[in-house]
Structures are given as C-alpha cells and as structure tokens.
Amino acid sequence: MGPQTSSIVEDLRLVEPGRLRRLVRTGAYKGATGGLARGKLQANVVIVPQRFAADFHKFCLANPKACPLVGLGRAGSPFVPALGNIDIRTDASQYSIYCYGEFVHRTSHIVDLWRQDFSAFALGSSLSFEPALMEKGVGLHGRVSGTVPKYRTQIRSRAFGPFGGNLVVAMRAIKRCDVDKVRAITARFPNAHGSPFHVGDPSIIGIADLGRPDWGEAVDVGEGEVPVFWASSVTAQEALVHAELAIAITASPGHLLITDVDAMVCEGIARVA
C-alpha cells in the first residue's frame, strides 16, 4: 500500500458505513477496506447459482469458524437489508470472478454479470476485530489496513455437496505477551471468526513457508512475536474452486462489504425477511 492510499484510508477511518458504501458504489474508493468503519462488521461476499445455494449454505454451517454466515439474500435479489442499505453488486470494493473453478478476472462491480438465479451470502471477516485489538494496545506489526497474508493449510474443510477443499487461515504477527489478550478480545467476535485457530509453529497446520503466502503480502515475525492464525472466509473461495461451478463470484481478499451491523454484538444469522 502506497503513501497516498494510506493517507486516503486514514481520512476515511471515521466515515460512517453508508457513506463509505456510496463512495465504493460510485467508484470513488476502490481500495482495501481494512481499518475502515471501526466497530462495524465487514463481510466477504459469495455468490453462487441458486441451484447450488442450499449445499453452499450447509457448507457454511458445517464450517462456522471459517465461514461465519451473517447474511443471506433471496434468489435473484442483490439486496441484504438486514445488513444495511446494501447492493451486493456494487458495494464491495473489488470482486473476483471464477468460471469452472478457475479465477478469471477482478472487477469493481458485477452489475453486468448479475442473474436472476444468483443467491448471495455474506460471511463475517476478521478485519472487523482489528480496530478492537489496536484500541487495546495490541500492535499488528504495521498492518493498519490492506490485506492480511493468508495461507492454504493441509487441513480439510468439512465437505458438503460439491463444496470442499482445504481450510485457509489469515496470519498476524502478535507479541507473545499479548497472545492471551488477543484470544480474549477476538473471542467476543464470533461472527468475525472469533478466537485464533492456531498459535505458533505453522508447520503443524501444513504451512511450509510464512514468507510465501497464497494471498496477500508476507509479514515478518519479529523478535518476541509469534504467528497467530485465524480461520479465513477465503476457505469459501477454495470451496468454489473445488466445486468447479460454471460461474461463482466473491469479494476479493481484503476488499470487503462494510455493513451497518455492530461487529462485536452481531449474533446469529442475519436473514432477509
């Protein structure tokens, strides 16, 4: 992230969620969403054809740590009013398109791709709890915004229907003396992946080299620090690749949907009435 982008993010930190979404919707802001809308839940977006929606729903329920389901849209509807005045087609700052399990391209909106047989899901993101960590004095090794490095583990997710694959985790370098504090704080965000999945030696979960993340940029683990891993909703992206659907869409890692829901008190699944 360059100095200019960092400055823009700093200026937007206290902007309310609705205005942030309008900036994204109009193309005025296309960057990563880490650090924005403090106290509000950020969510990944997953869109699949409706005939696969029931299986994907069950996949999320079977893997709640990686895929905390916080919002559902009706088939054909791009709106999730329980999360705010949201248009799924435009309100994430970047989308990733997959065809038959292969990544095709990224785009700033999916208005031209939307179909009446699409079903949308919103999955809580760990970016939601970062402001709470910083407010309690937990350093994030220079990571105030932008994407968190993510790694594909050797642990299999619980498969359902065509959806399966490996668990993906997000890593943050945390001072060893802060690990217990981090566990306690993040446990209060169950819809943002909650407490860490693993702390310490990455080889235990099948990560060979922290310097080569599968998504994002590597972060050095300094003296007195330890790698701390959270389950990541990119696990859902892996499941889409595994399913090889003709088309599937996600929010790009780090470019998430900013909701009106309070991150810490969000409980249960936000459903469309």
Side-chain angles (χ1 to χ4, degrees):
M1 177 177 294
Q4 184 176 7
T5 304
S6 297
S7 175
I8 292 172
V9 170
E10 188 64 38
D11 291 342
L12 293 177
R13 242 177 246 295
L14 301 180
V15 173
E16 56 90 17
R19 185 181 170 207
L20 284 171
R21 288 196 299 271
R22 288 192 293 274
L23 291 172
V24 171
R25 191 177 300 174
T26 60
Y29 183 73
K30 299 181 180 181
T33 55
L36 301 183
R38 292 190 179 200
K40 297 301 180 182
L41 186 71
Q42 294 199 29
N44 197 354
V45 173
V46 177
I47 297 166
V48 299
Q50 197 228 346
R51 71 188 186 97
F52 297 103
D55 279 343
F56 185 74
H57 188 179
K58 292 172 183 175
F59 173 81
C60 293
L61 296 181
N63 298 277
K65 193 78 168 173
C67 302
L69 188 55
V70 298
L72 296 170
R74 287 199 183 107
S77 173
F79 307 114
V80 188
L83 299 181
N85 180 21
I86 285 169
D87 188 330
I88 287 290
R89 301 170 299 181
T90 58
D91 292 0
S93 58
Q94 188 182 90
Y95 300 83
S96 297
I97 315 301
Y98 295 84
C99 294
Y100 298 103
E102 297 289 335
F103 169 75
V104 178
H105 66 95
R106 295 184 177 89
T107 182
S108 60
H109 69 82
I110 54 168
V111 173
D112 54 338
L113 294 174
W114 187 260
R115 301 186 336 204
Q116 290 306 303
D117 70 329
F118 275 166
S119 290
F121 297 80
L123 310 178
S125 166
S126 63
L127 291 184
S128 306
F129 61 59
E130 285 194 344
L133 293 178
M134 290 186 286
E135 286 167 9
K136 295 298 183 180
V138 176
L140 294 177
H141 200 83
R143 256 215 76 273
V144 176
S145 57
T147 59
V148 182
K150 298 179 178 70
Y151 302 83
R152 185 182 291 107
T153 72
Q154 293 302 309
I155 299 170
R156 302 291 289 180
S157 60
R158 293 183 63 187
F160 213 102
F163 301 104
N166 288 20
L167 178 74
V168 176
V169 293
M171 191 279 283
R172 294 166 176 86
I174 302 293
K175 290 182 179 178
R176 193 176 300 275
C177 62
D178 284 337
V179 169
D180 288 343
K181 182 195 295 187
V182 166
R183 282 197 175 103
I185 293 171
T186 57
R188 299 165 68 188
F189 294 81
N191 284 342
H193 304 292
S195 56
F197 176 80
H198 176 67
V199 176
D201 185 355
S203 67
I204 292 174
I205 55 175
I207 298 172
D209 185 358
L210 287 181
R212 299 179 64 184
D214 296 288
W215 296 269
E217 297 182 2
V219 173
D220 291 334
V221 179
E223 185 176 353
E225 294 180 329
V226 61
V228 179
F229 301 89
W230 280 264
S232 169
S233 58
V234 177
T235 300
Q237 179 177 308
E238 284 291 281
L240 296 178
V241 171
H242 184 271
E244 297 185 343
L245 308 186
I247 186 169
I249 302 169
T250 71
S252 296
H255 294 72
L256 303 181
L257 181 69
I258 295 171
T259 78
D260 291 342
V261 177
D262 290 340
M264 192 168 65
V265 300
C266 177
E267 296 180 355
I269 300 173
R271 298 181 184 273
V272 178

